[in-house]
Amino acid sequence: MNNIVIEDLIKKVKEYNPTEVEFVKKAYEYANDLHSGQVRQSGDPYITHPLNVAYILADMHADVDTVCAGLLHDTLEDTNITKEDIAHDFNQSIANLVNGVTKISKMNFSSKQDQNMANTRKIITSITEDVRIIIIKLADRLHNMRTLEFKSEFKQKENSLETMEIFVPLAYYIGAYRIKSELEDLSLRYLKPDMYKKIYEKKAKIEEDSKDCLQEMLFKIQTLLNDKTIPNEIKVRAKNIYGIYKRLNDGHKLSDIHDLLALKIMVDEVDNCYLTLGMIHKEYHPINDKFKDYICNPKTNMYRSLHTTVFGPEDRLVQTQIRTFEMDRIASFGLTAYWEEKKGQARYLMQEDLKAKFQFFKSLTEINSMFGDNQEFVSQVKIELFSDRIYVYTTKGDIIELPKGSTPIDFAYKLSTDIGNTMVGVFVNDEYVPIDYTLNNKDRVRIVTDDLSFGPREEWAEKAHTSYAKKLILEFNKK
Ligand code: MN
């Protein structure tokens, strides 16, 4: 849906918030007036852009302040209005949101490059202030990517690259999977058009070939669940093009990718997830090492589900994903699902949980306080947070997320400063290893500590990969 009109937006907002639509109408009239006469490169009136951004937000059931900020998001940058005007005519919260997504004026910088870096930093760090700013930025980027065909080829590539480097990781961290997948596919389409087309066609063929098999399974499982009166909904879920591209790039063959198509089974409660799992295993033979329990072991971005790959009809391998309706909303929308789950409390709970439950939040705050220079800050975030990740286990089975290249020193400091400072040795998968050992995905790490240790030696800073650990080691040695 690309030609959204105001009536569509109003209808969308009414679905979940019938009492505050007048406010949305007012924001639309206001933005429409301010942008009047401005035209997009596509030839459309400029207002179509904020309108679409607001619609993407309303589709996530965003609170009314956020939807209004979506409508007004380009007014500070592109019209004569001020933040104070918006605060006066609407409210302070909307004014802050719009200000948060507005670029810092170029008058403050000596070069375009400096301005870009400062703005990238502003976007990334706005998450510590109000995560809704990032969500509006993501909606803004999504609509710009959807309409990228009207830009020059250079701009298309430049924007796609920036999307992959900055916006996709941000969407990943807040768990906004829907937006992340679409941004990835749109970027790939412009960065590697031939590859995109090739995978697109192959995927369509596989979907066609497995349609009957999946429908048969879907129907059978649905019947079993209905017989037990378990409330359910089952959908066929396809991996996005970029997801397939990445696996092919890692050396996998298309025929090895078992989760290219999956059955997503949603039920009402956790107990019924396990009951469903049992029913599926009884009906279809499972592959033993393809079972994952992300309900008991959630991924670091809150994703929860049971995964099991089974032999379906005609011995086709089919991945099934079993979760509750609530888990599914979190899986698709991450923090943005709070708008639907937590209603009026959402805005505060988003920020609170981000601080308490998301490992990257702490790292980001840390990097932000350590690097004053914008360029250094951005490259550090790219290395430590936006690059490839590994997931390792503590002895208790908790999952710790680290950048690729991390060592047990990084792991120890990630657990706590005390553990890092008293570390004397380390076991990885029950074997004694040197402390600068490079950790791999799924390693089980046990740190040996001794309260009487002399503390980290200065050369450990060289052996650590993350700036967080390096900093703490150098701090300790200064004392
Ligand atoms: Mn915009």
Side-chain angles (χ1 to χ4, degrees), residues 121 135 175 204-205 262 267 285 305 373 376 380 418 443 455 469:
R121 181 182 202 145
I135 301 169
K205 180 157 187 326
V267 294
H285 203 75
S305 188
D373 181 76
E376 279 180 37
Q380 202 57 39
D418 248 10
D443 276 347

Side-chain angles (χ1 to χ4, degrees), residues 40 46 49-50 53 70 73-74 77-78 101 136-137 139-141 143-144:
R40 297 197 92 209
Y46 195 84
H49 169 63
V53 171
H73 83 272
D74 276 330
E77 215 164 296
D78 299 337
V101 296
I136 298 168
K137 266 283 174 197
D140 177 36
R141 178 52 60 124
H143 184 247
N144 283 334

Side-chain angles (χ1 to χ4, degrees), residues 362 394 400 402 408-423 447 449 451 456 460 468-469 472-473:
K362 194 173 141 200
T394 66
I400 301 290
L402 290 164
I409 303 174
D410 301 297
F411 175 87
Y413 279 102
K414 182 117 188 189
L415 293 184
S416 84
T417 308
D418 248 10
I419 295 181
N421 284 345
T422 55
M423 170 161 93
I447 303 290
T449 58
D451 289 343
W460 283 21
Y468 181 67
L472 291 171
I473 294 163

